Amino acid sequence: QTLAGEQTLAGDAGKIQDILQLNRANMIYLEHGVYIMEFIGGNHVFSFRSLFDDDGLINKGAVVEVNKRHIFVGNHDIYMTDGNTKSSISDRRVTRKFFENLKDRRSVFAFHYEFKREVWICFGSVDGPDVDPLEVAGADRALIYNYESDCWTIIDLPLTCDQLINAPRLDDVLLKWNDLPCQPETPPLSSVLHREGRRYGKTRQLSGQRLTT
């Protein structure tokens, strides 16, 4: 049996930016708000309720799931939510630095680098390559949050991009798909993304750049 339903989301939270599952519910991220959708069966199939309406998702793909929580980039801050409440993880640390350096909100996307316990928030920076105003700037910088140590880092990406993926390091050896191990040990994000930094409590210094707000 197939169940289907239709629902109009009330309010003026703007268009839907993204939808991502959280536990047994779906989180619906709009431009200026977030709804939660839960299966209830019956005639209505799903229930919908507004979770919060004081901020939304800055761009499609700017949200990831981490340890049964979501980390997402809003229009004014970077948040973590458990599906009930949200809290800032960047306030008084990197929020101002991030938005001051952001060139194009359409360039923002998030990536969960699980092996390193990191969330990479990639974006096109004001120092990045010039692009036509009608085109979306590629991400040339990444703001990195280590959720295990509650620490922030910022790096320059070697190339502009609009997505990141986990992949085994290939170096100069051409491998066939069938020759790759099922679970590669210590999978690096990329053979060219390296960084060295010194910790400063909640921040790190990288190439002489200390993250402050």
Side-chain angles (χ1 to χ4, degrees), residues 39-111:
F39 178 76
I40 57 174
N43 293 331
H44 296 288
V45 187
F46 292 99
S47 69
F48 296 81
R49 58 184 173 89
S50 174
L51 189 57
F52 40 81
D53 58 8
D54 56 341
D55 206 351
L57 190 67
I58 193 171
N59 190 41
K60 178 182 178 181
V63 54
V64 292
E65 190 272 334
V66 175
N67 296 336
K68 298 183 178 181
R69 289 175 170 81
H70 282 180
I71 291 178
F72 69 98
V73 184
N75 299 290
H76 314 294
D77 217 330
I78 303 172
Y79 306 97
M80 179 180 289
T81 179
D82 60 1
N84 294 300
T85 60
K86 75 177 188 306
S87 59
S88 170
I89 58 174
S90 63
D91 189 33
R92 299 183 182 276
R93 294 197 281 176
V94 297
T95 298
R96 190 175 70 181
K97 185 78 170 180
F98 170 68
F99 285 101
E100 285 179 349
N101 281 270
L102 177 61
K103 175 192 289 184
D104 189 342
R105 290 171 175 255
R106 300 171 299 173
S107 69
V108 180
F109 67 92
F111 170 76

Side-chain angles (χ1 to χ4, degrees), residues 64-68 111-120 145-148 165-166 187-189:
V64 292
E65 190 272 334
V66 175
N67 296 336
K68 298 183 178 181
F111 170 76
H112 184 195
Y113 190 12
E114 189 172 357
F115 178 75
K116 291 288 188 178
R117 307 292 192 270
E118 294 174 344
V119 171
W120 289 43
Y145 178 63
N146 186 298
Y147 49 85
E148 191 171 72
I165 61 171
N166 270 314
L189 182 64

